[in-house]
Amino acid sequence: MSKTTWWQKAVFYQIYPRSFADGNGDGIGDLDGMIAKLDYLKWLGVDAVWLSPHFPSPQVDCGYDISDYLSVAPEYGTMEKFQLFLDGLHLRGMRLILDLVLNHTSDQHPWFVESRSSRNHPKRDWYVWLPGKADGPPNDWFSTFGGSAWTFDVVSGEYYYHYFFKEQPDLNWHNPEVKAAMLDVVRYWCKLGVDGFRLDAVGTIYETPGYPNQGTGVTLNDNYREYRQATNKKETDAVTEKWKRMFRYQHDLPGIHDLMRELRTVIDEFPDKVLVGETDQLSFYGNGRDELHLNFNFPLMHTQRITPQWVRENQEGRLANLPPGAWPCNTLGNHDVGRMRSEFGDGENDERIGRVNLALILTLWGTPFLYNGEEIGMTNHLGIRPEQFRDPLSRNALDLELNLIGSKQEEAQKFALLTGRDKTRTPMQWSADPNAGFCPAEIEPWLPVQDNFSHGVNVHDQMNDPHSLLNFYQKMITLRKGFPALQEGVFEVIDQDNPYVFTFLRKTDTQTCLVALNMCAETKVTKVGDRSNFRSVFSTHHPIGKRIFQSVELLPFEILIGVHFEQQTTNL
Ligand code: NOJ
Ligand code: CA
């Protein structure tokens, strides 16, 4: 009997609801659309869906500004439709986790509307309110999304705190009523049958008591200018360090771990739920059993090229510091960062690099998270015009480029798109029909569709092509399921110093897999030691069943998986 639970073995797939599938043809993704794609998800082989916020929201931050935690955005459907989607997943043996935004609500949430109505309102203390200093806000903290972290409220004459946009006021988590209300939200969705939560911006929940000035004297504009002037990694790192200093009082306060333990206790009232932290801090695993089940390995994606050395260093650093019993979680994409295909490609071999990177995410030790659209090789959409921007971060960056940096319009637009997140959130490309089959031809989708949908970057065409990236995703996900060692096995790097090929073992008591990924465009050799009992069960370039010898030659970007053939080999 396996000792691991479903969320350790599962492949997660993130659905960005506005962009995934449009069921009623209004240009906005919705639950009817998702329901229609249940069989697609099953076919792809994913085990669980992470749904980005589906709650009612004024959509300032594309749903991460929630105005009602117990309901469904009308443009996405109804609670009945939500239940149908959830049941549809469960019926097909898949799970669903929701996005839980604890740090802040929308400024349109009734709690905030009441809180700002008067200094004496019983909900006043549900948010972080302070009087200003003579010359302005209570201190010199910034919002990570631009401007001061404090916004003056004319009606009640005080400032409220927001780590993100001013339309996203931070809740005051020191108030027990806030905690109780949010833990009730958690129970509400658990009782409906959801299987867990991804915890948004979980590090930002508490602020340093007393709100001391951060005192660096650096402004966000200074920071942006320096970032744009940086010519090498050292200079960029220096800018990042400055940025971290500016924000050091505003996140990852020690008290957060008491709250995480409490949340874990609530989740544990229900069987088999999972909590996934939007944080790369290993401290959120607690002692390995008492805080969050999974925390994203974001550092893995902080590079332009995924190389063997990069991955080895990343794994060494993270795994050595993982508390006992904790389980890793790997990803190369989500709705906040550039498309995996565009970010890690070299412009010539993007498709092949994409395949190697997928194989990496599916075979490393840890739970893999995929982002909708990566399976067909969707790319950053850098052709979105300013009047089509939806993400205020794109608009802010455009303003900075034009007015602070003095860039020409074209250059400014490019940087605005690179800084903002619209490029990663464009509609899913379902077919070569107009609007990529996302919505009817005569309807304007909420964000423009990327042009490459008519050149094969769509689900329909790729389904019909056995050699497509989509079919490769499906095949690799199925393969992972067939080999328990790839899901649950202990991880051991071999051929430690190879600069081109990343080679490792995954071992359970009854099975050992060998994975060799040639991450470069030339034929290379990996030295695997005595593996005479191994034969290949997968290769992108060669017939399978071949014995594996001491030195294995891999063709450019070849992916090779072998298994010890005297042990149990597959549960397919
Ligand atoms: C992280 C989310 O992933 C991002 O999209 C959002 O803008 C911030 N948290 C604020 O909720
Ligand atoms: Ca719709």
Side-chain angles (χ1 to χ4, degrees), residues 496-514:
Q496 294 277 354
D497 300 316
N498 195 320
Y500 310 108
V501 185
F502 181 50
T503 311
F504 56 98
L505 301 175
R506 299 289 314 277
K507 286 184 195 169
T508 63
D509 293 345
T510 53
Q511 185 174 74
T512 306
C513 286
L514 178 144

Side-chain angles (χ1 to χ4, degrees), residues 14 16 50 52-53 61-65 99 101 103-104 144-145 163-165 168 198-202 204 278 334-336 391 393 421 425:
Q14 181 190 356
Y16 199 63
W50 151 29
S52 276
D61 189 18
C62 205
Y64 284 90
D65 47 326
D99 224 305
V101 184
N103 175 66
H104 49 271
T144 190
F145 281 175
Y163 188 84
F164 298 100
F165 294 122
Q168 295 169 296
R198 173 263 191 191
L199 302 184
D200 183 71
V202 65
T204 63
E278 194 217 353
N334 62 48
H335 65 294
D336 289 331
D391 182 5
L393 292 187
R421 300 163 296 176
R425 300 176 172 178

Side-chain angles (χ1 to χ4, degrees), residues 435-450:
N435 282 331
F438 174 75
C439 63
E442 66 282 9
I443 297 293
E444 193 180 343
W446 80 283
L447 267 177
V449 172
Q450 166 71 298

Side-chain angles (χ1 to χ4, degrees), residues 44 162 171 177 254 274 285 330-331 335 387 406 416 437 441 446 452 454:
L44 188 57
H162 49 92
L171 283 158
E177 290 175 14
V274 67
Y285 282 109
N330 300 304
T331 186
H335 65 294
E387 63 276 20
W446 80 283
N452 57 15
S454 55

Side-chain angles (χ1 to χ4, degrees), residues 6 28 42 55 66 79 151 228 243 256 259 280 287 305 316 342 385 518-519 571:
W6 70 269
I28 298 174
K42 183 68 192 165
F55 311 94
I66 297 172
M79 281 302 280
T151 290
R228 287 287 276 109
W243 194 92
I256 188 69
L259 179 63
D280 55 20
N287 67 11
R305 281 300 302 275
E316 268 163 36
S342 308
R385 296 191 307 276
N518 183 357
M519 296 182 156
N571 61 3

